[in-house]
Amino acid sequence: MRPDIEALATFLQVVDSGTVTAAAARLGLAKSVVSKRIAQLELQLSTKLLNRAPRQMTPTETGALLAERARAVLAQLDTVADDVMAQSGALRGLIRLAAPLSFGGGALSLGPVIAGFMRQWPHVEVALDLDDRHVDLLGGGHDLALRTGRLVDSALRSRRLGRSHRALCCSPDYAAQHGLPDRLEALAQHSCLGYANIAAGHLWRFARSAAPEGEERSLVLRGRLTANTGEALMDAACAGLGLIVLPTFLVADRVRQGRLIPVHIPGWTPVSDDIQLVWPPTPALPLKVRRLIDHLAEAIREPFAWDEPFRAPPLLGSAEGAV
């Protein structure tokens, strides 16, 4: 007998979520409905699919095989449905997109970009999850993520959009009171504000400005404040609490306003990252997700306007002239 599609989808959600309770919450169903579907599926296939523990459910060997095959089958069905609907201009469905909180505003604002996509496809829904914490795409829950940084999980698929340059900045008041560092070693004498969402939040990496790629130096620095969002660090720097290293798309507006100034250390620049789209490996990526990837790649491409303030001479003179 052929397994029920709803039962397979429910089973995958339990595997991805780890518990019936979490799966039921994601599916918007009662726990009893989820449990009944799993029990019926096991009865239908005459095999145990899940190892049940009080706080965690894991697939059996047979369950893992079913999950792998079912994921591919359901992805194929989604793609077929998307392609058929797209032929009549009726692309529809929910896309779950994760991105850092800093992409919610500033120079790299996703709001207008997503709005343009939704105007083009009026039957598509988008759930935009803005959070600086790292989202586990392989664990389910999101179709796509926009990230900066190096791709750590090689199992993910990716599309590079460009370079995310970073800038060393402080407020004019901080520069007037404490001066500006003229070499990397001098940073240790300054308050350097740290990013709390990563273990290396106070590890600042610099690369030689005119040297072969790969020549870098890392410095462990300390400051009066750590924060788990770039916006909080930027506000603290504007208030004169210390130096920051943040992406140029985040600090560009503050530099244009004169609330922050770039700090140039001769021969060195903060190490840049990649801006990229990443998604889970799947045999057939749904068309609605492919369309959003293309739309984001068209809207977010180099050269980036937010890098312009950092190509110009620094507003208060270079670090070489700092007192």
Tab-separated table of all heavy atoms in Angstrom, residues 195-233:
chain	number	residue	atom	x	y	z
A	195	TYR	N	31.588	41.589	19.621
A	195	TYR	CA	30.352	40.977	19.151
A	195	TYR	C	30.133	39.675	19.919
A	195	TYR	O	30.948	38.752	19.849
A	195	TYR	CB	30.457	40.719	17.651
A	195	TYR	CG	29.201	40.180	17.007
A	195	TYR	CD1	27.998	40.853	17.133
A	195	TYR	CD2	29.228	39.012	16.263
A	195	TYR	CE1	26.841	40.378	16.527
A	195	TYR	CE2	28.086	38.525	15.656
A	195	TYR	CZ	26.904	39.209	15.796
A	195	TYR	OH	25.758	38.719	15.193
A	196	ALA	N	29.020	39.589	20.661
A	196	ALA	CA	28.825	38.488	21.604
A	196	ALA	C	28.227	37.231	20.997
A	196	ALA	O	28.167	36.205	21.649
A	196	ALA	CB	27.932	38.955	22.751
A	197	ASN	N	27.794	37.266	19.744
A	197	ASN	CA	27.128	36.104	19.167
A	197	ASN	C	28.086	35.047	18.654
A	197	ASN	O	27.655	33.991	18.203
A	197	ASN	CB	26.195	36.529	18.023
A	197	ASN	CG	24.749	36.564	18.484
A	197	ASN	OD1	24.425	36.080	19.552
A	197	ASN	ND2	23.889	37.133	17.677
A	198	ILE	N	29.372	35.326	18.654
A	198	ILE	CA	30.354	34.335	18.242
A	198	ILE	C	31.421	34.229	19.322
A	198	ILE	O	31.682	35.184	20.049
A	198	ILE	CB	31.011	34.682	16.884
A	198	ILE	CG1	31.637	36.072	16.918
A	198	ILE	CG2	30.021	34.570	15.752
A	198	ILE	CD1	32.396	36.419	15.654
A	199	ALA	N	32.030	33.044	19.413
A	199	ALA	CA	33.040	32.818	20.455
A	199	ALA	C	34.226	33.755	20.303
A	199	ALA	O	34.850	34.161	21.274
A	199	ALA	CB	33.502	31.362	20.414
A	200	ALA	N	34.542	34.115	19.039
A	200	ALA	CA	35.690	34.987	18.766
A	200	ALA	C	35.259	36.447	18.639
A	200	ALA	O	35.765	37.187	17.800
A	200	ALA	CB	36.392	34.538	17.492
A	201	GLY	N	34.303	36.864	19.478
A	201	GLY	CA	33.776	38.218	19.369
A	201	GLY	C	34.810	39.302	19.571
A	201	GLY	O	34.680	40.404	19.057
A	202	HIS	N	35.868	39.032	20.335
A	202	HIS	CA	36.928	40.015	20.554
A	202	HIS	C	38.178	39.672	19.760
A	202	HIS	O	39.248	40.224	20.026
A	202	HIS	CB	37.250	40.104	22.058
A	202	HIS	CG	36.396	41.112	22.778
A	202	HIS	ND1	35.435	40.761	23.676
A	202	HIS	CD2	36.360	42.461	22.696
A	202	HIS	CE1	34.841	41.848	24.135
A	202	HIS	NE2	35.383	42.889	23.570
A	203	LEU	N	38.059	38.741	18.819
A	203	LEU	CA	39.181	38.412	17.947
A	203	LEU	C	39.000	39.176	16.641
A	203	LEU	O	38.132	38.855	15.839
A	203	LEU	CB	39.235	36.900	17.685
A	203	LEU	CG	40.397	36.416	16.807
A	203	LEU	CD1	41.727	36.613	17.533
A	203	LEU	CD2	40.210	34.955	16.430
A	204	TRP	N	39.816	40.209	16.454
A	204	TRP	CA	39.727	41.034	15.243
A	204	TRP	C	40.799	40.600	14.263
A	204	TRP	O	41.975	40.469	14.631
A	204	TRP	CB	39.895	42.514	15.602
A	204	TRP	CG	38.681	43.093	16.274
A	204	TRP	CD1	37.567	42.423	16.682
A	204	TRP	CD2	38.473	44.467	16.617
A	204	TRP	NE1	36.672	43.285	17.256
A	204	TRP	CE2	37.193	44.545	17.234
A	204	TRP	CE3	39.228	45.627	16.473
A	204	TRP	CZ2	36.663	45.748	17.694
A	204	TRP	CZ3	38.697	46.823	16.938
A	204	TRP	CH2	37.434	46.886	17.529
A	205	ARG	N	40.397	40.410	13.015
A	205	ARG	CA	41.301	39.919	11.984
A	205	ARG	C	41.551	41.017	10.951
A	205	ARG	O	40.616	41.646	10.461
A	205	ARG	CB	40.716	38.672	11.302
A	205	ARG	CG	40.593	37.493	12.251
A	205	ARG	CD	39.666	36.403	11.737
A	205	ARG	NE	39.946	36.041	10.360
A	205	ARG	CZ	39.029	36.025	9.401
A	205	ARG	NH1	37.780	36.364	9.663
A	205	ARG	NH2	39.352	35.661	8.181
A	206	PHE	N	42.830	41.210	10.632
A	206	PHE	CA	43.233	42.214	9.652
A	206	PHE	C	44.080	41.552	8.572
A	206	PHE	O	44.803	40.583	8.829
A	206	PHE	CB	44.038	43.342	10.317
A	206	PHE	CG	43.221	44.222	11.218
A	206	PHE	CD1	42.947	43.841	12.522
A	206	PHE	CD2	42.715	45.430	10.757
A	206	PHE	CE1	42.189	44.643	13.366
A	206	PHE	CE2	41.958	46.247	11.592
A	206	PHE	CZ	41.695	45.848	12.899
A	207	ALA	N	43.988	42.090	7.367
A	207	ALA	CA	44.772	41.587	6.240
A	207	ALA	C	45.657	42.707	5.707
A	207	ALA	O	45.312	43.893	5.792
A	207	ALA	CB	43.856	41.075	5.127
A	208	ARG	N	46.794	42.327	5.151
A	208	ARG	CA	47.672	43.294	4.503
A	208	ARG	C	46.937	43.957	3.353
A	208	ARG	O	46.315	43.296	2.533
A	208	ARG	CB	48.915	42.610	3.965
A	208	ARG	CG	49.980	42.336	5.014
A	208	ARG	CD	50.742	43.596	5.367
A	208	ARG	NE	51.866	43.332	6.260
A	208	ARG	CZ	52.569	44.276	6.836
A	208	ARG	NH1	52.272	45.553	6.619
A	208	ARG	NH2	53.574	43.968	7.631
A	209	SER	N	47.010	45.285	3.272
A	209	SER	CA	46.285	46.012	2.234
A	209	SER	C	46.812	45.707	0.846
A	209	SER	O	46.042	45.592	-0.113
A	209	SER	CB	46.371	47.522	2.495
A	209	SER	OG	45.872	47.840	3.765
A	210	ALA	N	48.120	45.583	0.696
A	210	ALA	CA	48.717	45.356	-0.626
A	210	ALA	C	49.631	44.139	-0.545
A	210	ALA	O	50.837	44.230	-0.716
A	210	ALA	CB	49.487	46.585	-1.084
A	211	ALA	N	49.030	42.984	-0.262
A	211	ALA	CA	49.809	41.752	-0.130
A	211	ALA	C	48.994	40.608	-0.692
A	211	ALA	O	47.774	40.737	-0.866
A	211	ALA	CB	50.165	41.494	1.333
A	212	PRO	N	49.624	39.497	-1.005
A	212	PRO	CA	48.874	38.341	-1.497
A	212	PRO	C	47.797	37.936	-0.504
A	212	PRO	O	47.990	38.011	0.707
A	212	PRO	CB	49.950	37.253	-1.626
A	212	PRO	CG	51.231	37.989	-1.740
A	212	PRO	CD	51.076	39.241	-0.947
A	213	GLU	N	46.639	37.526	-1.041
A	213	GLU	CA	45.530	37.138	-0.173
A	213	GLU	C	45.955	35.992	0.740
A	213	GLU	O	46.604	35.046	0.324
A	213	GLU	CB	44.339	36.705	-1.027
A	213	GLU	CG	43.081	36.452	-0.216
A	213	GLU	CD	41.869	36.190	-1.087
A	213	GLU	OE1	41.993	36.332	-2.306
A	213	GLU	OE2	40.826	35.830	-0.526
A	214	GLY	N	45.592	36.106	1.983
A	214	GLY	CA	45.940	35.067	2.944
A	214	GLY	C	46.862	35.553	4.045
A	214	GLY	O	46.965	34.916	5.083
A	215	GLU	N	47.551	36.691	3.831
A	215	GLU	CA	48.420	37.227	4.883
A	215	GLU	C	47.563	38.016	5.861
A	215	GLU	O	47.072	39.102	5.561
A	215	GLU	CB	49.515	38.119	4.296
A	215	GLU	CG	50.517	38.581	5.353
A	215	GLU	CD	51.653	39.401	4.766
A	215	GLU	OE1	51.756	39.477	3.522
A	215	GLU	OE2	52.421	39.963	5.557
A	216	GLU	N	47.367	37.454	7.039
A	216	GLU	CA	46.482	38.047	8.023
A	216	GLU	C	47.147	38.086	9.392
A	216	GLU	O	48.105	37.361	9.652
A	216	GLU	CB	45.178	37.234	8.142
A	216	GLU	CG	44.348	37.172	6.883
A	216	GLU	CD	43.067	36.375	7.097
A	216	GLU	OE1	42.827	35.927	8.250
A	216	GLU	OE2	42.318	36.184	6.130
A	217	ARG	N	46.574	38.942	10.243
A	217	ARG	CA	46.947	38.969	11.666
A	217	ARG	C	45.670	39.025	12.482
A	217	ARG	O	44.707	39.709	12.120
A	217	ARG	CB	47.822	40.171	11.985
A	217	ARG	CG	49.275	40.008	11.543
A	217	ARG	CD	50.143	41.100	12.129
A	217	ARG	NE	50.134	41.090	13.599
A	217	ARG	CZ	50.718	42.019	14.354
A	217	ARG	NH1	51.355	43.032	13.776
A	217	ARG	NH2	50.675	41.956	15.672
A	218	SER	N	45.663	38.299	13.588
A	218	SER	CA	44.515	38.284	14.488
A	218	SER	C	44.929	38.852	15.834
A	218	SER	O	46.011	38.539	16.339
A	218	SER	CB	43.988	36.858	14.668
A	218	SER	OG	43.545	36.339	13.428
A	219	LEU	N	44.064	39.678	16.398
A	219	LEU	CA	44.352	40.303	17.680
A	219	LEU	C	43.208	40.032	18.648
A	219	LEU	O	42.035	40.186	18.291
A	219	LEU	CB	44.536	41.816	17.542
A	219	LEU	CG	45.717	42.316	16.696
A	219	LEU	CD1	45.289	42.486	15.254
A	219	LEU	CD2	46.227	43.630	17.239
A	220	VAL	N	43.536	39.611	19.856
A	220	VAL	CA	42.543	39.431	20.910
A	220	VAL	C	42.464	40.741	21.683
A	220	VAL	O	43.438	41.152	22.321
A	220	VAL	CB	42.917	38.265	21.842
A	220	VAL	CG1	41.882	38.133	22.957
A	220	VAL	CG2	43.021	36.966	21.056
A	221	LEU	N	41.308	41.389	21.629
A	221	LEU	CA	41.159	42.730	22.191
A	221	LEU	C	40.020	42.753	23.198
A	221	LEU	O	39.141	41.888	23.189
A	221	LEU	CB	40.901	43.736	21.063
A	221	LEU	CG	42.009	43.780	20.000
A	221	LEU	CD1	41.523	44.486	18.750
A	221	LEU	CD2	43.238	44.485	20.564
A	222	ARG	N	40.031	43.742	24.044
A	222	ARG	CA	39.005	43.860	25.077
A	222	ARG	C	38.436	45.280	25.089
A	222	ARG	O	39.118	46.237	24.716
A	222	ARG	CB	39.592	43.547	26.456
A	222	ARG	CG	39.928	42.068	26.634
A	222	ARG	CD	38.665	41.254	26.891
A	222	ARG	NE	38.956	39.839	27.050
A	222	ARG	CZ	38.781	38.927	26.100
A	222	ARG	NH1	38.321	39.279	24.929
A	222	ARG	NH2	39.046	37.653	26.336
A	223	GLY	N	37.180	45.375	25.509
A	223	GLY	CA	36.543	46.672	25.617
A	223	GLY	C	35.534	46.667	26.742
A	223	GLY	O	35.333	45.657	27.426
A	224	ARG	N	34.855	47.767	26.934
A	224	ARG	CA	33.913	47.909	28.039
A	224	ARG	C	32.580	47.250	27.748
A	224	ARG	O	31.770	47.046	28.652
A	224	ARG	CB	33.685	49.398	28.332
A	224	ARG	CG	34.930	50.132	28.829
A	224	ARG	CD	34.649	51.613	28.953
A	224	ARG	NE	33.537	51.866	29.878
A	224	ARG	CZ	32.853	53.014	29.913
A	224	ARG	NH1	33.168	53.993	29.072
A	224	ARG	NH2	31.883	53.172	30.765
A	225	LEU	N	32.325	46.902	26.480
A	225	LEU	CA	31.000	46.414	26.114
A	225	LEU	C	31.108	45.277	25.104
A	225	LEU	O	31.908	45.328	24.172
A	225	LEU	CB	30.164	47.551	25.500
A	225	LEU	CG	28.798	47.163	24.943
A	225	LEU	CD1	27.816	46.893	26.079
A	225	LEU	CD2	28.263	48.245	24.010
A	226	THR	N	30.281	44.251	25.306
A	226	THR	CA	29.994	43.277	24.252
A	226	THR	C	28.487	43.299	24.027
A	226	THR	O	27.709	43.567	24.955
A	226	THR	CB	30.437	41.852	24.635
A	226	THR	OG1	29.762	41.446	25.818
A	226	THR	CG2	31.943	41.786	24.837
A	227	ALA	N	28.061	43.014	22.816
A	227	ALA	CA	26.632	43.006	22.487
A	227	ALA	C	26.385	41.952	21.426
A	227	ALA	O	27.290	41.584	20.665
A	227	ALA	CB	26.182	44.382	22.003
A	228	ASN	N	25.140	41.476	21.372
A	228	ASN	CA	24.831	40.411	20.420
A	228	ASN	C	24.173	40.905	19.142
A	228	ASN	O	23.667	40.112	18.360
A	228	ASN	CB	23.949	39.343	21.082
A	228	ASN	CG	22.576	39.883	21.477
A	228	ASN	OD1	22.332	41.097	21.419
A	228	ASN	ND2	21.686	38.993	21.875
A	229	THR	N	24.175	42.223	18.911
A	229	THR	CA	23.718	42.769	17.634
A	229	THR	C	24.693	43.849	17.167
A	229	THR	O	25.247	44.593	17.993
A	229	THR	CB	22.299	43.382	17.712
A	229	THR	OG1	22.335	44.586	18.479
A	229	THR	CG2	21.311	42.401	18.324
A	230	GLY	N	24.850	43.945	15.869
A	230	GLY	CA	25.701	44.982	15.316
A	230	GLY	C	25.160	46.370	15.583
A	230	GLY	O	25.926	47.325	15.781
A	231	GLU	N	23.818	46.507	15.604
A	231	GLU	CA	23.212	47.817	15.847
A	231	GLU	C	23.563	48.342	17.236
A	231	GLU	O	23.831	49.530	17.414
A	231	GLU	CB	21.690	47.728	15.694
A	231	GLU	CG	21.200	47.589	14.274
A	231	GLU	CD	21.269	46.157	13.781
A	231	GLU	OE1	21.775	45.283	14.536
A	231	GLU	OE2	20.854	45.907	12.638
A	232	ALA	N	23.559	47.445	18.232
A	232	ALA	CA	23.900	47.865	19.592
A	232	ALA	C	25.350	48.316	19.672
A	232	ALA	O	25.674	49.321	20.329
A	232	ALA	CB	23.644	46.723	20.579
A	233	LEU	N	26.244	47.597	19.005
A	233	LEU	CA	27.654	48.001	18.986
A	233	LEU	C	27.829	49.344	18.278
A	233	LEU	O	28.608	50.195	18.709
A	233	LEU	CB	28.491	46.930	18.289
A	233	LEU	CG	28.619	45.593	19.025
A	233	LEU	CD1	29.363	44.587	18.155
A	233	LEU	CD2	29.334	45.763	20.352
